[in-house]
């Protein structure tokens, strides 16, 4: 998973903070797997993780985390929650 965990940006939509770690164009394929949603939901209910396969080798990396706006107080808390989710995925 994205070991450097450097956030590239955060966009807020009506329902989610979209915390982006990697450009989606870097990946051959992007998925939102159920197992990652289980990890994300253990930090913030309703959160999801988009994972990407960079080289078609099934080595999936966190591309972004979707954190529900009603699950956190603000963008800063969304960033912290996303970092915690990615850290749990790496462990």
């Amino acid at each position: 998973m994205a070991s450097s965990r450097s956030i590239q940006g955060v966009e807020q939509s009506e329902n989610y903070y979209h915390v982006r770690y990697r450009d989606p164009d870097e990946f051959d394929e992007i998925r939102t797997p159920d197992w990652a949603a289980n990890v994300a939901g253990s930090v913030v209910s309703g959160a999801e993780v988009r994972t990407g396969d960079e080289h078609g080798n099934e080595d999936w990396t966190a591309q972004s985390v979707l954190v529900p706006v009603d699950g956190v107080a603000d963008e800063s808390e969304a960033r912290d929650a996303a970092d915690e989710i990615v850290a749990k995925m790496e462990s």
Side-chain angles (χ1 to χ4, degrees):
M1 297 295 145
S3 57
S4 64
R5 288 202 315 267
S6 176
I7 294 174
Q8 290 188 348
V10 179
E11 297 174 10
Q12 183 178 354
S13 68
E14 185 176 337
N15 298 316
Y16 290 97
Y17 288 103
H18 185 167
V19 182
R20 189 174 73 181
Y21 290 91
R22 305 277 300 275
D23 186 330
D25 292 338
E26 294 179 26
F27 298 101
D28 295 330
E29 184 178 355
I30 294 179
R31 294 182 186 166
T32 307
D34 290 339
W35 68 266
N38 293 337
V39 173
S42 73
V43 176
V44 177
S45 180
E48 297 179 4
V49 180
R50 292 183 179 157
T51 60
D53 183 10
E54 289 181 282
H55 307 291
N57 60 5
E58 297 299 313
D59 186 18
W60 295 88
T61 302
Q63 184 273 321
S64 63
V65 178
L66 299 173
V67 180
V69 296
D70 60 359
V72 292
D74 55 23
E75 181 180 313
S76 177
E77 196 171 305
R79 287 171 173 264
D80 291 345
D83 278 343
E84 183 177 344
I85 290 164
V86 173
K88 279 187 155 194
M89 289 176 56
E90 291 176 344
S91 63

